[in-house]
Amino acid sequence: MSECVLAVRGVSKSFAGVQALSDINLEIRPGEIHCLAGENGSGKSTLIKVISGVHDPDEGTIEIGGVVHKRLTPVEAIAAGVQVIYQDFSVFPNLTVMENLALNTELASKRKLVNWRRFRRIAEEAVAKIDFSVDLDQLVGKLSVADKQLVAISRALMSDAKLIIMDEPTTALTKKEVDALFRIILDLKARGIAILFVSHKLEEVFEISERFTIIRNGRAVATCLPEELNRRTFTQYMTGRDFEDAHFQVGELPPEPALEARALTVTGAFSDVSFSLRPGEILGITGLLGSGRTELAMTLFGAYRPDAGELLVKGSPVRFSGIRAAIAGGIGYVPEDRLTEGLFLERSIGDNIVIAQIDQLVTRGLLDRERKTASAAEWVRDLKIATPDPENAANTLSGGNQQRIVLAKWLATRPDVLILNGPTVGVDIGSKHDIHEILRELAGSGMAVIIISDDIPEVIQNCNRVLLMKAGRITDEIDPGTVTERQLAALMTGESDQEGKH
Amino acid sequence: MSALFQKVIRANEFYVFLVIVAVCLLIQVRSGQFFTANNLVDLANAMVVPGLFAIGAFLVIVSGGIDVSFPALASLAVYAVTRFLVDSHYEGGILLPFAMVIGLGALLGAFNGLFTSRLAVPSLIITLGTANVFSGVMQGALSSVQIAKIPPAMAEFGRSSLFVATNPVSGLTSSMPVSFLILVVVAAIVFFLLRFTMFGRGIFAIGGDESAASRAGFNVRRTKFWLYVIVGVIAAVAGLIRTCGMGQMHPTNLLGMEMMVIAAVVLGGTAITGGTGSLTGVMLGTLLIVIVQNSMILLGIPTFWQQFSLGLLIIVGTGISALQIARSGNGLRAVLR
Amino acid sequence: MKGAAVQTLLSRSGSLRALSRDTHLTRLLVMLAVLVGFFAIVKTEGFFNLLTWQSMAIQFPEFGLMALGVMLTMITAGIDLSVVGVANMAAIGAAVVMLGMAPRGADPATATGAIAVAICLALATGAAAGALNGFLVAKVRIPPILATLGTFELFTGIAILITGGKPKSGLPALYGEVFAGKLFGLIPVPLIVFAVATVLIWLLMTRTAFGTKIYMLGTNATAARFSGLNTTSLLVRTYTLSGLYASLAGLVMLANYNSAKADYGSTYTLLAVLIVVLGGVNPNGGNGRLLGVVLAILILQILSSGLNMFPNISNFYRPLIWGGVLLAVITANHLSGRRSSHRTSKGQGQTK
């Protein structure tokens, strides 16, 4: 087995009595594309940190290129050919591409002085490895996300990497960019470089991974080939639970729409968007990154002002002057990025829940603290937020519970229309299931719900209608009962590739 | 060539330069005295101390911090050295005072560096603390008083000049101090340090993204520590130049200068959030402030307006660049910013 | 009825628990106790003298009021470095009005009227100056540290322009008698002003929506906007309050010195920031307690007054001690924070 690039044998690691990893075994062969899957908090980040030398294992060994290590420093890991590409890519936005590419190499060879000509040579060599065409004098901060990732990959290759670990590499990429990334990865594979993907989404990496290792609660529960996996088994391995895949059944709908868009246009984002939404419906809006789906949501929420077209709430036309006007008009919005746009991590769960309706809790100029506490307690109970005390800070909770806080915040404003942008991104599967249940109940009680998501199974199972957005326009309306996931995926990506070729 | 031109007109420094030219022309038109040899030499003379301080403040701001302790640091270092030399009736050359001030500046800078490199507390807060410690040591432990008679070598250095410029009309003369060379040399050394050493690139890298810098292999702690040592040395040298130039040690003369110096650095286009900025910009920003302050007399404006105009300059200068940043962002996102 | 009682009991026990969990507050309390104990033992006579306490109570409201304003701005993740400029400008404005309306020898009724107008003008000046800060921070989006640094120069500049750099004195005697006087000959009026101002801030922070909102804004400005908070108005109101409190501090200084000058209280900027940080307010916003800041004000005042009782320790040691205390506290916080972050490193990893 010494032909393995990496062999993790019986690794255990605990933090302050909490067992983060127990008896993990993982082998990666040269040129293999391996996927490490697991829910948030399953221990996959800890495992990566052990492999890259950030944490020392309590037990077990790490074998890299035939050398067995009991403990490893980050420098040793890099020297042995292990490179990690973090989710934030670890680049310097204020420096040029050239410098970003050359600094690591120069630091590794312990240079004290800067030779700009050598910097340029190193950078040219680095981009040549993956045929990456980029202006070396451009600031990295001005590049697209995909290009930043390519900078990180080229940089990783400079140190003679044998194994590249990529942490959630496709999350922020468009479909075309993902395809480009996969081509590069296949090229690396051909050169014998192994790739370890870290992901919690099967769809992302299914087409390219050759083997899967799934960990749960710090244990490797399965190592298998792609043909042995489907979404159901994948979910079972990830969560240890089995979920029924039931479609949402819409009830009887009143004729009056809750929200109606007529030829809504925001220049540069989307144009001529029309749809109507009745109370009790769950409308899906799906499309790739950059299709205009987020901008549409933000416009409905009053954050952007439409340049043309009309928006009607309960039959009367509205022009929201801003977010506050939209909230007053009965719109709620669960944003795309929970951590930066939704949560106040260091503040209490209760404050997080009541903040959007806090002005309603004021009597005679003073905050009614009893009503505030009661309201928070009520939502904690109703949404089953797992906390002993709503006074605890929001960052004491897991991703799923945090998302419930954001949901509670909007439900507390008693909206007529609730818009959710990526409602279950980064949420573990159990919570995801619960959140879907809640949304269905809300629709059942007469709320109009919009789910914006590129998670195809999510929209198919939970919506009664799905609108497909492409390049800023609604191109299709789909009945989820009659379309398979594969067909929807094809619709989403198929034509846009052709558009790209024009 | 046109690419170079593009780069020039896109640079922040270019606009500061334009403002300086406009201000100069305005003063020239109003007074007719701006472009005279002695006025220009006076300006160069007035640039030396703020210019040195600005270089130090610039280094810290690029690394993502803010230092408000350098005037107190300089005062303490120079006071201690002057006191010691006066008390021991020092009659020797200027080299020993410089060596002692540099050593003490490095030591006090290391004190700053010790905290800033180890604590995850904004450096504004830390240097606020050390500034108080420095001025407390000077005024309390050393019970500082004005020293009217400084060692002869220092006074002589303060009087020494490279050349004397005479205004042909008024007959006023101004001499270019030797210390101007020190500003030039320090600026050149720092330029080299930032541009051609891994240490210098490390300062930019840390200002850009500290955790990325440490992952890339920079020793963030060590870099920050030595950065503050260097800034301490530069500040102490500036303090010594001021004392020599005045011909007496006035312990509180420098205190309060930090605001004006930071303003100069920011006006020169250095991002207060760290990571970007240029020495050219810093020198231009300092020049702008020095011109405005020095030219009030030429324009016949009472000196009472000095502080008011400095405040206005800071607000307008930083306001314009803040609005530029807001505009340059994605037009749609701007709604939310 | 019963439910409500249980609720209040629960919330009260919650805040009790929060207190015991807040190690920083505990540390400040211990520090205060040690200081009081030390001076009580070493300088028993001077320390238990009523005069010592009265002079302390006259002094600390000057910078204490400024610190309260700075605290509010720091909770919103900003800072207000202009408080001393505002205080001097407001005090000079008040002095000019008093001197103009009630020159030396004016009858008491005129003097009273002049004082009332002057106070109103000073407070309005402070609020307007604060609103300008808020506008620059919230609308023009200048980083708070630079905006308030600029307005500090601006306000001080205006103060110099009005006075020509000279002190304004010769105020109606009534003003000093009232504001630097003692209620029942016992409680100094500045202390009362400070106490009332503190209670108002406490009400604002804990009993109004505004209080909750500024904490939320300081924690995450983007999420605050997404939650429908009017961040511009919140910031403008916060800085306006800070300006108002600074002008109140200016009025106290005017009474204590019986004159106004553009460069009075020049060490107070640093002192106010120092107090707020020492009091446990997070410079990155969103965190901090009023109680901590009040404790920090008391600690610094007792420390400096206590040291004053040692004749061979000069006043000039004060900055050294202030700076030393600040460095010691942030170092201690860092060390204890590192220990606890080791314990919770797993939990933090989850939130990432």
Side-chain angles (χ1 to χ4, degrees):
Chain A
M1 270 310 195
S2 60
E3 78 264 28
C4 285
V5 181
L6 171 81
V8 173
R9 297 191 210 284
V11 160
S12 297
K13 173 81 189 167
S14 65
F15 294 101
V18 180
Q19 196 75 24
L21 294 175
S22 44
D23 194 25
I24 296 269
N25 289 298
L26 173 70
E27 285 178 353
I28 299 170
R29 304 185 196 108
E32 183 184 20
I33 302 178
H34 197 110
C35 174
L36 177 68
E39 303 251 273
N40 293 321
S42 61
K44 58 184 197 299
S45 330
T46 312
L47 180 57
I48 294 170
K49 285 183 177 155
V50 168
I51 295 171
S52 58
V54 178
H55 292 323
D56 291 329
D58 299 337
E59 279 171 54
T61 58
I62 304 148
E63 186 183 318
I64 304 176
V67 185
V68 178
H69 298 267
K70 274 212 129 322
R71 51 198 312 162
L72 198 62
T73 66
V75 177
E76 282 169 359
I78 290 168
V82 176
Q83 282 281 338
V84 184
I85 296 177
Y86 293 95
Q87 245 178 311
D88 64 0
F89 310 137
S90 232
V91 289
F92 302 105
N94 59 324
L95 301 181
T96 61
V97 173
M98 170 170 69
E99 226 178 317
N100 267 282
L101 289 170
L103 276 177
N104 291 32
T105 310
E106 294 291 85
L107 283 165
S109 51
K110 302 218 182 303
R111 298 221 183 249
K112 296 285 177 228
L113 294 181
V114 175
N115 177 338
W116 289 99
R117 240 179 284 160
R118 198 173 54 229
F119 264 47
R120 188 169 292 277
R121 215 165 47 232
I122 293 171
E124 279 166 355
E125 196 186 319
V127 292
K129 287 201 173 181
I130 56 167
D131 288 329
F132 174 29
S133 73
V134 65
D135 177 5
L136 290 179
D137 296 313
Q138 180 67 272
L139 293 181
V140 164
K142 302 214 160 143
L143 299 182
S144 70
V145 178
D147 281 352
K148 280 183 195 153
Q149 188 175 40
L150 293 180
V151 168
I153 294 176
S154 329
R155 187 179 61 190
L157 291 174
M158 284 312 288
S159 59
D160 203 13
K162 297 192 176 60
L163 169 67
I164 296 182
I165 302 173
M166 298 179 124
D167 194 0
E168 310 270 2
T170 58
T171 321
L173 300 189
T174 65
K175 178 69 185 148
K176 247 195 284 178
E177 289 167 340
V178 170
D179 289 343
L181 174 67
F182 283 180
R183 274 199 298 280
I184 287 168
I185 285 169
L186 289 174
D187 176 49
L188 297 180
K189 171 189 166 58
R191 285 190 246 162
I193 296 170
I195 309 285
L196 179 64
F197 270 123
V198 182
S199 182
H200 66 277
K201 265 168 109 184
L202 182 64
E203 293 84 359
E204 274 185 1
V205 288
F206 192 77
E207 57 171 287
I208 199 166
S209 297
E210 294 167 322
R211 269 204 306 162
F212 284 81
T213 294
I214 301 171
I215 60 176
R216 184 174 79 227
N217 296 333
R219 291 177 186 279
V221 289
T223 297
C224 53
L225 302 172
E227 48 270 31
E228 298 166 358
L229 273 184
N230 58 37
R231 202 174 60 248
R232 184 135 183 200
T233 50
F234 184 73
T235 307
Q236 270 175 359
Y237 284 134
M238 295 267 280
T239 62
R241 288 203 276 162
D242 198 3
F243 292 102
E244 198 78 25
D245 285 354
H247 279 261
F248 167 61
Q249 298 298 329
V250 71
E252 202 166 308
L253 299 175
E256 186 76 356
L259 182 73
E260 204 179 342
R262 290 185 188 155
L264 213 56
T265 299
V266 168
T267 315
F270 59 86
S271 54
D272 202 21
V273 168
S274 301
F275 63 88
S276 90
L277 171 71
R278 288 187 282 173
E281 277 196 294
I282 303 184
L283 176 69
I285 299 180
T286 189
L288 299 170
L289 199 76
S291 61
R293 54 176 207 221
T294 295
E295 290 81 356
L296 174 60
M298 302 274 267
T299 310
L300 299 178
F301 189 50
Y304 301 154
R305 251 163 263 174
D307 297 307
E310 226 184 343
L311 191 64
L312 295 91
V313 174
K314 289 187 193 163
S316 40
V318 289
R319 286 193 72 82
F320 294 138
S321 59
I323 289 175
R324 266 170 303 133
I327 294 174
I331 313 268
Y333 175 66
V334 175
E336 196 176 11
D337 185 339
R338 180 172 62 238
L339 293 181
T340 63
E341 298 169 344
L343 282 167
F344 305 89
L345 281 175
E346 295 85 10
R347 307 306 308 167
S348 74
I349 294 163
D351 282 355
N352 267 284
I353 291 174
V354 301
I355 187 65
Q357 46 133 8
I358 194 160
D359 288 328
Q360 270 84 61
L361 298 175
V362 173
T363 38
R364 273 174 269 120
L366 292 184
L367 193 60
D368 188 335
R369 294 205 300 174
E370 274 172 31
R371 261 169 67 208
K372 182 178 151 187
T373 318
S375 171
E378 180 192 328
W379 288 109
V380 164
R381 196 177 55 238
D382 284 2
L383 294 190
K384 303 195 192 72
I385 296 171
T387 177
D389 185 354
E391 287 297 309
N392 285 353
N395 60 12
T396 57
L397 299 182
S398 67
N401 278 300
Q402 290 180 348
Q403 186 69 323
R404 287 174 210 217
I405 296 178
V406 182
L407 198 56
K409 169 169 78 182
W410 289 109
L411 295 181
T413 66
R414 316 254 169 222
D416 302 314
V417 180
L418 182 64
I419 306 165
L420 303 102
N421 195 350
T424 56
V425 172
V427 166
D428 54 280
I429 294 175
S431 286
K432 184 171 176 174
H433 195 260
D434 293 344
I435 288 172
H436 289 157
E437 278 299 306
I438 294 167
L439 295 181
R440 291 173 188 211
E441 277 171 34
L442 290 171
S445 69
M447 191 180 285
V449 178
I450 299 179
I451 295 180
I452 296 172
S453 174
D454 58 359
D455 183 340
I456 292 171
E458 174 166 67
V459 290
I460 286 202
Q461 279 173 31
N462 295 294
C463 303
N464 62 315
R465 285 191 295 143
V466 178
L467 302 176
L468 183 62
M469 270 190 103
K470 220 179 279 179
R473 285 172 187 277
I474 291 183
T475 54
D476 259 310
E477 176 169 336
I478 295 147
D479 176 1
T482 62
V483 174
T484 66
E485 291 171 18
R486 204 167 289 266
Q487 284 170 321
L488 182 52
L491 279 173
M492 252 167 94
T493 58
E495 285 164 33
S496 75
D497 276 359
Q498 280 176 2
E499 270 172 33
K501 280 173 196 146
H502 282 305
Chain B
M1 223 32 215
S2 85
L4 183 70
F5 180 71
Q6 285 282 325
K7 212 173 153 188
V8 165
I9 62 166
R10 242 186 286 139
N12 201 349
E13 292 88 339
F14 180 66
Y15 293 99
V16 185
F17 179 72
L18 284 188
V19 172
I20 291 178
V21 170
V23 170
C24 294
L25 289 176
L26 183 82
I27 298 166
Q28 174 68 20
V29 169
R30 290 291 299 272
S31 69
Q33 296 293 306
F34 188 83
F35 292 106
T36 54
N38 76 312
N39 186 50
L40 295 179
V41 167
D42 277 343
L43 284 178
N45 188 1
M47 267 287 283
V48 174
V49 173
L52 284 171
F53 277 149
I55 292 173
F58 166 69
L59 287 172
V60 174
I61 292 176
V62 166
S63 80
I66 276 196
D67 182 1
V68 292
S69 72
F70 55 88
L73 184 152
S75 305
L76 171 57
V78 177
Y79 184 82
V81 168
T82 313
R83 180 87 270 166
F84 174 78
L85 292 177
V86 167
D87 289 352
S88 53
H89 306 290
Y90 178 72
E91 300 283 343
I94 189 68
L95 283 180
L96 182 68
F98 264 104
M100 287 176 71
V101 157
I102 287 172
L104 202 49
L107 196 70
L108 299 175
F111 185 72
N112 272 336
L114 203 64
F115 288 99
T116 46
S117 64
R118 280 166 193 276
L119 303 187
V121 176
S123 53
L124 170 71
I125 308 296
I126 291 173
T127 52
L128 214 52
T130 58
N132 273 291
V133 169
F134 295 153
S135 64
V137 168
M138 179 177 77
Q139 297 178 317
L142 304 181
S143 38
S144 59
V145 287
Q146 199 167 332
I147 304 174
K149 201 169 158 10
I150 58 174
M154 283 168 64
E156 194 184 314
F157 177 77
R159 283 191 303 270
S160 63
S161 71
L162 294 169
F163 58 85
V164 176
T166 312
N167 185 332
V169 181
S170 64
L172 291 173
T173 59
S174 303
S175 65
M176 180 67 112
V178 174
S179 56
F180 189 77
L181 287 181
I182 295 181
L183 174 64
V184 173
V185 169
V186 168
I189 291 174
V190 170
F191 177 79
F192 176 81
L193 196 74
L194 286 178
R195 182 88 189 134
F196 294 107
T197 68
M198 289 305 272
F199 174 78
R201 301 322 291 169
I203 295 173
F204 275 93
I206 292 170
D209 185 333
E210 192 167 325
S211 62
S214 94
R215 280 185 201 150
F218 285 109
N219 188 332
V220 172
R221 245 185 210 184
R222 200 192 303 157
T223 306
K224 278 192 179 175
F225 177 82
W226 286 107
L227 166 68
Y228 281 89
V229 171
I230 291 170
V231 171
V233 168
I234 295 175
V237 167
L240 184 63
I241 290 172
R242 170 59 62 93
T243 299
C244 294
M246 288 171 70
Q248 52 169 305
M249 174 66 220
H250 197 300
T252 57
N253 172 269
L254 296 170
L255 302 184
M257 240 177 115
E258 63 273 7
M259 304 282 186
M260 176 270 215
V261 168
I262 292 169
V265 173
V266 174
L267 281 183
T270 308
I272 194 83
T273 44
T276 43
S278 74
L279 263 185
T280 321
V282 170
M283 287 297 118
L284 288 174
T286 315
L287 183 62
L288 178 59
I289 287 191
V290 168
I291 288 178
V292 169
Q293 291 197 326
N294 269 45
S295 303
M296 297 240 147
I297 305 154
L298 287 185
L299 292 176
I301 299 171
T303 47
F304 296 141
W305 285 88
Q306 227 178 56
Q307 200 148 10
F308 180 83
S309 60
L310 176 62
L312 210 58
L313 195 64
I314 296 172
I315 293 167
V316 172
T318 54
I320 287 171
S321 74
L323 287 175
Q324 267 174 350
I325 292 168
R327 292 253 173 75
S328 70
N330 183 335
L332 288 173
R333 279 275 152 190
V335 185
L336 276 169
R337 281 162 100 266
Chain C
M1 259 327 244
K2 204 173 161 193
V6 172
Q7 281 291 352
T8 41
L9 199 71
L10 271 179
S11 77
R12 223 173 265 160
S13 72
S15 56
L16 258 182
R17 219 160 351 122
L19 188 70
S20 68
R21 233 180 337 189
D22 194 334
T23 51
H24 185 80
L25 222 48
T26 323
R27 203 169 291 143
L28 289 177
L29 276 169
V30 170
M31 209 150 100
L32 185 64
V34 168
L35 272 180
V36 170
F38 174 78
F39 288 121
I41 293 166
V42 178
K43 286 276 171 186
T44 316
E45 210 170 303
F47 197 69
F48 286 108
N49 190 331
L50 182 63
L51 273 177
T52 310
W53 290 89
Q54 281 177 338
S55 77
M56 281 200 263
I58 288 168
Q59 216 168 46
F60 77 76
E62 292 179 8
F63 55 83
L65 287 167
M66 293 180 193
L68 292 179
V70 174
M71 173 189 74
L72 290 178
T73 59
M74 214 184 260
I75 286 173
T76 67
I79 198 166
D80 189 350
L81 299 178
S82 73
V83 280
V84 175
V86 176
N88 285 325
M89 184 172 71
I92 286 168
V96 169
V97 169
M98 281 186 229
L99 293 175
M101 285 178 66
R104 205 173 289 272
D107 61 279
T110 322
T112 313
I115 289 170
V117 173
I119 289 174
C120 291
L121 178 92
L123 295 180
T125 308
L132 174 65
N133 282 331
F135 170 78
L136 293 175
V137 170
K139 269 285 177 197
V140 190
R141 294 177 195 287
I142 305 178
I145 191 169
L146 290 177
T148 55
L149 193 150
T151 53
F152 168 77
E153 303 285 341
L154 196 72
F155 300 150
T156 308
I158 292 172
I160 292 174
L161 285 176
I162 296 173
T163 58
K166 288 188 265 303
K168 285 268 172 208
S169 51
L171 307 175
L174 181 65
Y175 182 74
E177 281 161 21
V178 172
F179 275 88
K182 299 187 184 67
L183 196 66
F184 314 122
L186 181 70
I187 309 163
V189 174
L191 177 66
I192 297 167
V193 171
F194 179 78
V196 171
T198 307
V199 169
L200 284 178
I201 290 264
W202 176 78
L203 278 175
L204 198 71
M205 287 169 77
T206 60
R207 292 288 188 272
T208 68
F210 176 80
T212 308
K213 284 177 184 174
I214 60 168
Y215 276 108
M216 302 304 252
L217 174 63
T219 307
N220 184 343
T222 312
R225 274 179 220 116
F226 270 98
S227 303
L229 301 189
N230 187 345
T231 52
T232 307
S233 143
L234 282 174
L235 284 175
V236 170
R237 280 187 280 163
T238 306
Y239 282 89
T240 304
L241 267 172
S242 178
L244 190 69
Y245 271 56
S247 62
L248 205 54
L251 288 174
V252 171
M253 281 159 71
L254 184 63
N256 284 351
Y257 307 155
N258 204 21
S259 68
K261 190 164 176 263
D263 62 357
Y264 277 162
S266 55
T267 58
Y268 284 174
T269 311
L270 299 192
L271 185 58
V273 175
L274 191 151
I275 284 171
V276 175
V277 173
L278 186 62
V281 178
N282 182 351
N284 300 320
N287 229 328
R289 285 158 173 272
L290 177 63
L291 182 57
V293 173
V294 172
L295 283 177
I297 294 170
L298 295 180
I299 287 172
L300 287 187
Q301 183 60 54
I302 290 181
L303 191 58
S304 74
S305 293
L307 290 174
N308 267 355
M309 291 183 286
F310 293 86
N312 47 354
I313 297 180
S314 95
N315 261 344
F316 290 117
Y317 274 105
R318 249 184 241 180
L320 172 61
I321 289 153
W322 289 339
V325 169
L326 178 70
L327 291 176
V329 167
I330 55 180
T331 308
N333 281 354
H334 171 74
L335 293 177
S336 71
R338 213 170 47 179
R339 237 180 293 127
S340 68
S341 79
H342 271 302
R343 236 178 291 134
T344 59
S345 70
K346 183 115 195 309
Q348 282 174 345
Q350 260 181 356
T351 60
K352 177 92 209 287

